[in-house]
Amino acid sequence: MPFPHVSDLVSDLAPGRGALRPARSWLRSDAPSLSLNGRWQFRLSPTASGPEDFAADGFDDHGWDSIPVPSHWVLEGDGAYGRPIYTNIQFPFPIDPPHVPDENPTGDYRRHFTVPADWAEAERVVLRFDGVESLFRVWVNGTEIGSASGSRLAHEFDVTSAVRTGDNVIAVRVHQWSAASYVEDQDQWWLPGIFRDVTLTARPVGGIEDVWLRTGFEQDSGRDEGRGAGLVEAEITAGAAAFPVTLRIPELGVERVWAAPGDVAPFAVPGVEPWSAEVPRLYDATVSTAAESIALRVGFRTVGIRGDQFLVNGHRVVFHGVNRHEAHPERGRVFDEEHAREDLARMKRFNVNAIRTSHYPPHPRLLDLADELGFWVVLECDLETHGFEKLDWAGNPSDDPAWREAYLDRIRRTVERDKNHPSIVIWSLGNEAGTGGNLAAMSSWVHARDPERPVHYEGDYTGEYTDLYSRMYASVPETEQIGSDNARSTLLNCTPAQSARQRTKPFLLCEYAHAMGNGPGAFDQYEALVRRYPRLHGGFVWEWRDHGILTTAPDGTAYHAYGGDFGEVVHDGNFVMDGMLLTDDVPTPSLHEFKAVVQPVEFTFESEGDGDGDGRDHGKVQGHGEVVVTSLRHTADTSDLRFRWRVEHDGIPVASGVLDVPAVVAGGSARVPLPTVSVAHDAETWLTIDAVLAAPTTWAPADHVLASAQLDCSAPRRVPAVRSRAAWLPGDGNLSLGIAEFTGGSLTRLAGREVSGPRLELFRAPTDNDESPSDGVEESDASIAGVSNAELWRRDGLDRLTTRRISVAHTADALRTVDKVSSANSASWVTVESMWSVEDGDLELRVEIEPSRGWRTVWPRIGIRFELPDGTAAVDGADWFGLGPLESYPDSLRAARTGRFSATIADLSVDYARPQETGHRSGLRRLTLANGASEVLRIDALPDTRGRRPGFTLSRHTPQEIALARHPFELGDSTTSHLIIDAAQHGLGSRSCGPDVWPEFALRPEARTIRLRIAATG
């Protein structure tokens, strides 16, 4: 195939030209190879049409810079070679397919390498690129070899005729933009360059071109997952001269010798242990000829669909998965195996069992790690055309025959490279590329090539060419309609007949619960549906980690940048920061919430005469009752776990031990007596059970907690009644009550410390979900399509409340103030009555909050705020008895447990990429404010008349200050601590890309009471 002129090459739809070889597996071979990773000479041109003299053998490149390969040039040289660009849907160039602008940054690479003398005996020499963004051309010793596109795909070139023994020169030209950019519009940074490995291999005469060991499994009998019959179906791609070929699996006693290609046939292997994500049993295998030996690790497992069930080894799979991009704050998509291994080990520790490789094949070593550690993998092709949605999909390549070969090349390279991995159980055609004949052709090719593994593509709403029904961000009611057999509603973009067909398939949420900033909520609601409806097979949270890029502010402060921080012309802001793991590898509270919701062991408490315990805080046990331990695993029993229990009185441990739980098979249950619980009469009594690892694994130490549950065993306790008072007298409000001092009815000092407040606080620094517009569908409350809650809150002035005092009155031991709180240009208000009194020697504050009519939207919070200036000793930490240890909100409470916790003021907040609401702890009983090791004030929170307890937030910044910052470093220093006691908070939801807060957790304007008792502790 001839090479087009450079001006045409970048617009060329052909996936490759020249000596480009067919796709094959990524294999470990003992054939001689040479890594070309390392420092390469480099120059950057602003256009694609620079001179090609650099490819000449004798070109002098001493004046060039050098950069590492693999790398992205925009992440090297501190901006000397351009900057990253982040877009989600938008194209960062005019939509004029297949053309791209003349302003097309182009990187030229050169390096020398030495070919050993004995390579002259090789049948061929192959040059492999594992990843180059976007289009690249290759020369060896001045001879043009070929070109290729498909950034996250492997490409091999036959360079036999161009290489020579001794010194050689390779030259590579990489264009940032090409026709391929139109089908690589994934939600990620655009990062050009040679970012994966470059390898030269000497292919031996009589070698093995490719190997595919398909390894099935059939259970002997029963549910016991011990051993069964394995099936090996080998596909050996090699010339006749390579035979005989020998397959060995030493641990199973397998040694098969095939004398000729026609002898290769399937065979059974008895006594095989199956592979699964929970028990990732691998066997070492080799496939050898006289000239070459290939090493593989095989796992025996059978994937299939039976009716509307997706099965592995005959049992239904539930995906507790995450979408995973390749992202590192300094290296971008350059693979770091140590970092990747720890990333996957962290997933295991947080009960993640599945990965969708959004939206391209990862580095091949990642899949080795998935095989080894144990994950169900949905392997996705390098394909997305999302930007065409702006044009209502007009001109979308997915339905243009001119692009068909490019589409087919991408899926071939995806499947062929990774077909040997047992962890891959589903092939995915790509993401958000509309629909059309080219996608159908891809699916047809996959079905012919690999009939076992099903094909996924979310955009095939009507199920014309895919095996699974898949959706992203379906709401809880819609997901239930999909799972229910008697649902008569039509599904998205489906006719009634198409809806019926889709309900006969396994259903997968390929994306749900958008984890952007503080959130999401409702993990537990989706999980409940998966338990209730077998057709629902779980899904993949969007997404695993934030994609921040480490950079520095003008003053030298390091921070993690997002879209717009590099001066992009168009960008999608912090939408790239939407993971359950922060950029610096810190798990967010949402990851802890996910872990708790999907935990693989369920505890159901049953006290005597009560069979309705649910493992949270219902029911009372005083030495009697049982717990039902249920395994929610796919394969493994619970013999690898120990079950520890402990009893706490107001968060103080008083007893502990180990439950005698028999090994529970996957899907089974065991009923176990509870230990005797000593119930305190002057404190809350809580029983906690943890399922922990009995021994260390490759991904966690012994005693790592996999699952947990609590039971409230407390004896009933009376809440002190509110003491009524009469004979209120008007006054100026200048007085002292116990440890409190007031001026004009306003608090000025507590226990000798300067304190002000309480002031009504209805505002929170909007979360990313709060800032996202309503779609007007299935919203939780008074919403306006296209308008965010945060916009409505600012419209109503919740961030700028003003107060008018109505009255001040007192008795001998009490003070009462009434305030009217509103905002400029608003006729709605809130009446706040504050009652201070001395009760049983303590200072009591009771605040009655009552809104007027006319409020038209949900509120972010109903709380009161105190200001605590640093003075001689700053409030810099807290000890509390309540829910913890991490932040919690009404629709994100499953990871919270009742106990006693402590944290510094800095650790109470999460450094989300864009500052926003953070740090709220729910279910507060007692709060002690601290300065270092010294206690400052103690606050007891009493429940209201409906038993509801407040929460608290302690921060160095007000919600208003936080809302103005774009990055954490912009908040700066503060000389005041701010304590907010919330009667209620609005839920989190997933509205940044998904459903709004569920109505049950939406905070409507309503009357609430906050009741506190405050004491000095010094």
Side-chain angles (χ1 to χ4, degrees):
M1 186 180 295
F3 294 104
H5 186 270
V6 64
S7 60
D8 298 320
L9 182 65
V10 293
S11 302
D12 187 14
L13 298 186
R17 292 181 180 274
L20 188 62
R21 306 185 73 242
R24 65 186 184 115
S25 301
W26 192 81
L27 297 170
R28 288 183 181 80
S29 166
D30 64 358
S33 66
L34 176 67
S35 172
L36 298 186
N37 293 352
R39 304 295 300 189
W40 289 51
Q41 297 297 99
F42 179 78
R43 75 175 178 190
L44 184 67
S45 302
T47 69
S49 57
E52 297 176 5
D53 57 344
F54 82 102
D57 195 353
F59 180 83
D60 184 2
D61 59 18
H62 287 92
W64 288 19
D65 297 335
S66 71
I67 63 172
V69 169
S71 71
H72 304 281
W73 70 63
V74 292
L75 298 184
E76 299 294 321
D78 195 24
Y81 311 118
R83 289 293 194 180
I85 299 170
Y86 166 63
T87 63
N88 170 30
I89 299 174
Q90 304 179 81
F91 285 118
F93 45 78
I95 307 174
D96 182 24
H99 306 290
V100 293
D102 293 338
E103 295 83 4
N104 187 354
T106 296
D108 291 335
Y109 295 77
R110 279 176 56 90
R111 71 157 290 169
H112 288 257
F113 62 94
T114 301
V115 171
D118 58 2
W119 280 33
E121 301 173 3
E123 182 176 61
R124 69 181 65 89
V125 178
V126 173
L127 177 64
R128 182 183 181 97
F129 293 85
D130 282 308
V132 183
E133 183 175 329
S134 146
L135 167 71
F136 68 105
R137 302 168 66 190
V138 183
W139 293 261
V140 173
N141 297 325
T143 300
E144 184 159 10
I145 302 299
S147 64
S149 60
S151 298
R152 269 67 66 177
L153 304 170
H155 297 88
E156 290 185 326
F157 297 90
D158 189 335
V159 296
T160 310
S161 62
V163 295
R164 62 200 176 207
T165 298
D167 183 63
N168 292 258
V169 175
I170 180 173
V172 181
R173 171 162 285 182
V174 181
H175 304 289
Q176 177 161 11
W177 309 122
S178 70
S181 303
Y182 285 101
V183 295
E184 293 179 0
D185 187 30
Q186 293 101 334
D187 176 8
Q188 62 179 347
W189 295 96
W190 299 88
L191 299 173
I194 305 173
F195 69 94
R196 286 186 185 157
D197 305 304
V198 183
T199 310
L200 196 69
T201 302
R203 301 293 308 129
V205 176
I208 302 169
E209 183 64 20
D210 202 358
V211 172
W212 186 5
L213 296 183
R214 309 187 200 204
T215 47
F217 178 81
E218 183 176 348
Q219 188 66 42
D220 286 341
S221 62
R223 177 66 172 159
D224 180 12
E225 303 294 342
R227 292 178 182 271
L231 176 68
V232 178
E233 186 176 354
E235 178 183 285
I236 311 296
T237 305
F243 285 80
V245 173
T246 302
L247 167 64
R248 295 183 178 89
I249 310 177
E251 197 173 350
L252 295 173
V254 171
E255 181 166 336
R256 290 274 168 147
V257 179
W258 295 302
D263 296 338
V264 180
F267 63 93
V269 185
V272 166
E273 297 176 54
W275 184 97
S276 73
E278 292 169 357
V279 185
R281 183 66 162 94
L282 295 171
Y283 294 90
D284 290 329
T286 59
V287 178
S288 305
T289 70
E292 183 179 16
S293 182
I294 303 291
L296 304 95
R297 294 187 301 179
V298 298
F300 292 86
R301 58 101 186 95
T302 295
V303 175
I305 292 176
R306 185 185 307 146
D308 61 1
Q309 303 285 292
F310 175 78
L311 312 174
V312 175
N313 297 335
H315 303 298
R316 172 177 176 253
V317 172
V318 174
F319 295 93
H320 294 136
V322 295
N323 284 275
R324 180 192 179 275
H325 268 290
E326 293 191 303
H328 187 278
E330 297 173 81
R331 293 183 291 273
R333 282 188 286 279
V334 175
F335 185 70
D336 180 315
E337 183 163 333
E338 182 179 352
H339 187 257
R341 179 180 285 276
E342 174 52 30
D343 230 21
L344 268 59
R346 186 182 292 111
M347 289 182 189
K348 297 286 285 189
R349 293 195 292 271
F350 281 90
N351 293 334
V352 174
N353 71 0
I355 298 169
R356 178 180 176 225
T357 68
S358 55
H359 297 293
Y360 43 81
H363 190 283
R365 276 293 292 153
L366 185 98
L367 298 168
D368 288 339
L369 297 177
D371 293 342
E372 174 190 324
L373 294 171
F375 290 92
W376 311 116
V377 173
V378 177
L379 197 285
E380 196 146 88
C381 185
D382 187 10
L383 176 67
E384 181 166 338
T385 67
H386 206 164
F388 286 93
E389 185 179 46
K390 178 184 178 69
L391 309 179
D392 198 25
W393 299 106
N396 182 22
S398 296
D399 204 33
D400 183 343
W403 291 80
R404 180 156 300 180
E405 181 53 34
Y407 273 56
L408 288 172
D409 181 76
R410 285 172 180 263
I411 195 63
R412 283 194 293 259
R413 293 187 180 279
T414 296
V415 172
E416 296 294 357
R417 192 196 75 169
D418 297 327
K419 55 186 178 282
N420 280 292
H421 291 282
S423 57
I424 298 173
V425 293
I426 295 171
W427 299 113
S428 180
L429 303 180
N431 184 69
E432 292 175 324
T435 190
N438 294 338
L439 287 157
M442 294 168 72
S443 179
S444 178
W445 183 89
V446 176
H447 282 119
R449 184 71 177 112
D450 183 8
E452 181 191 27
R453 286 180 275 213
V455 173
H456 164 274
Y457 176 66
E458 187 265 350
D460 181 27
Y461 295 124
T462 60
E464 299 296 326
Y465 48 85
T466 50
D467 305 303
L468 306 153
Y469 182 33
S470 176
R471 287 285 309 285
M472 53 177 68
Y473 307 110
S475 68
V476 170
E478 185 183 5
T479 303
E480 183 165 23
Q481 289 176 353
I482 293 168
S484 174
D485 285 332
N486 58 11
R488 297 182 179 179
S489 60
T490 55
L491 302 177
L492 180 70
N493 294 340
C494 289
T495 65
Q498 291 166 339
S499 299
R501 175 171 63 188
Q502 291 295 65
R503 285 194 174 97
T504 66
K505 299 178 180 179
F507 177 71
L508 197 61
L509 281 163
C510 67
E511 294 179 23
Y512 81 111
H514 195 255
M516 186 175 179
N518 190 347
F523 278 136
D524 53 350
Q525 293 176 274
Y526 285 101
E527 183 67 13
L529 294 180
V530 171
R531 305 270 188 92
R532 191 178 311 148
Y533 301 108
R535 178 180 305 135
L536 307 181
H537 286 72
F540 297 82
V541 175
W542 187 268
E543 64 174 307
W544 170 240
R545 65 158 57 242
D546 285 357
H547 298 207
I549 292 179
L550 186 64
T551 189
T552 56
D555 66 357
T557 302
Y559 73 100
H560 293 119
Y562 50 74
D565 287 333
F566 296 109
E568 300 100 308
V569 175
V570 296
H571 63 85
D572 286 304
N574 69 319
F575 209 73
V576 75
M577 310 295 255
D578 46 15
M580 294 192 291
L581 195 70
L582 299 181
T583 298
D584 56 2
D585 297 339
V586 174
T588 65
S590 69
L591 185 52
H592 289 268
E593 180 76 1
F594 177 85
K595 175 186 176 181
V597 168
V598 306
Q599 62 186 30
V601 178
E602 180 181 58
F603 301 94
T604 305
F605 293 106
E606 295 184 359
S607 59
E608 287 189 338
D610 175 18
D612 195 31
D614 67 358
R616 182 76 177 98
D617 58 351
H618 304 283
K620 304 293 185 284
V621 176
Q622 301 185 21
H624 303 284
E626 297 177 315
V627 61
V628 178
V629 179
T630 302
S631 170
L632 303 175
R633 289 173 159 180
H634 174 270
T635 302
D637 63 25
T638 61
S639 59
D640 62 326
L641 305 179
R642 288 189 302 119
F643 294 84
R644 302 184 310 201
W645 63 268
R646 67 181 180 276
V647 176
E648 295 169 320
H649 292 167
D650 276 0
I652 307 299
V654 296
S656 62
V658 177
L659 282 182
D660 185 14
V661 179
V664 182
V665 300
S669 297
R671 189 178 296 270
V672 180
L674 288 169
T676 299
V677 176
S678 173
V679 177
H681 295 287
D682 60 349
E684 292 187 32
T685 301
W686 286 85
L687 169 67
T688 303
I689 298 177
D690 293 327
V692 304
L693 290 176
T697 69
T698 56
W699 46 268
D703 294 324
H704 169 74
V705 177
L706 282 180
S708 186
Q710 279 194 313
L711 181 67
D712 185 358
C713 305
S714 305
R717 299 172 68 191
R718 185 180 64 86
V719 177
V722 175
R723 182 155 60 101
S724 61
R725 285 177 168 79
W728 289 97
L729 299 173
D732 58 10
N734 300 324
L735 73 159
S736 297
L737 286 175
I739 63 170
E741 300 176 31
F742 301 88
T743 301
S746 297
L747 179 68
T748 55
R749 298 184 74 81
L750 269 176
R753 293 184 60 90
E754 185 180 352
V755 178
S756 65
R759 58 167 291 173
L760 179 69
E761 187 61 85
L762 301 179
F763 185 67
R764 72 184 186 192
T767 67
D768 290 307
N769 292 321
D770 296 336
E771 289 282 15
S772 296
S774 164
D775 62 6
V777 179
E778 293 180 336
E779 296 291 351
S780 66
D781 217 304
S783 300
I784 301 174
V787 179
S788 71
N789 277 335
E791 204 171 334
L792 297 176
W793 298 339
R794 289 187 285 259
R795 178 202 67 183
D796 291 348
L798 300 189
D799 58 335
R800 47 183 173 82
L801 298 176
T802 61
T803 300
R804 181 170 67 86
R805 180 138 294 166
I806 302 298
S807 65
V808 180
H810 64 87
T811 67
D813 62 352
L815 170 70
R816 183 180 68 193
T817 62
V818 178
D819 296 326
K820 187 174 183 179
V821 182
S822 187
S823 65
N825 199 38
S826 174
S828 301
W829 70 89
V830 180
T831 301
V832 181
E833 181 184 50
S834 301
M835 173 88 73
W836 294 90
S837 60
V838 177
E839 310 287 350
D840 304 321
D842 286 339
L843 180 70
E844 179 168 307
L845 168 63
R846 190 177 84 253
V847 182
E848 302 286 353
I849 301 166
E850 184 174 351
S852 69
R853 295 182 180 179
W855 294 97
R856 294 171 290 167
T857 185
V858 295
W859 277 353
R861 72 181 345 137
I862 302 175
I864 54 175
R865 190 173 94 210
F866 296 87
E867 316 293 336
L868 300 102
D870 288 354
T872 57
V875 171
D876 58 11
D879 179 286
W880 74 98
F881 175 48
L883 291 183
L886 304 174
E887 65 186 26
S888 55
Y889 294 84
D891 53 354
S892 183
L893 281 170
R894 291 287 289 275
R897 68 178 189 273
T898 302
R900 183 173 176 177
F901 311 96
S902 63
T904 66
I905 196 168
D907 290 339
L908 285 168
S909 299
V910 178
D911 279 337
Y912 295 112
R914 184 188 67 80
Q916 56 195 274
E917 162 64 30
T918 179
H920 178 76
R921 267 68 177 179
S922 309
L924 180 65
R925 279 80 161 167
R926 171 170 289 184
L927 171 66
T928 302
L929 302 179
N931 169 249
S934 302
E935 296 182 350
V936 175
L937 287 171
R938 187 188 73 239
I939 302 172
D940 288 317
L942 280 62
D944 66 12
T945 55
R946 292 173 55 183
R948 299 173 296 189
R949 295 185 179 274
F952 82 94
T953 304
L954 182 64
S955 172
R956 296 295 283 177
H957 299 92
T958 67
Q960 291 77 8
E961 291 169 342
I962 296 170
L964 293 174
R966 293 183 63 249
H967 301 93
F969 75 87
E970 296 170 0
L971 286 169
D973 297 327
S974 170
T975 59
T976 301
S977 296
H978 307 273
L979 172 65
I980 302 177
I981 303 293
D982 284 319
Q985 273 249 7
H986 186 56
L988 298 175
S990 188
R991 200 201 252 185
S992 58
C993 191
D996 197 7
V997 175
W998 189 247
E1000 179 184 351
F1001 307 114
L1003 180 58
R1004 299 162 182 81
E1006 62 184 26
R1008 297 297 290 254
T1009 299
I1010 295 174
R1011 191 177 173 200
L1012 309 173
R1013 288 202 170 177
I1014 307 171
T1017 57

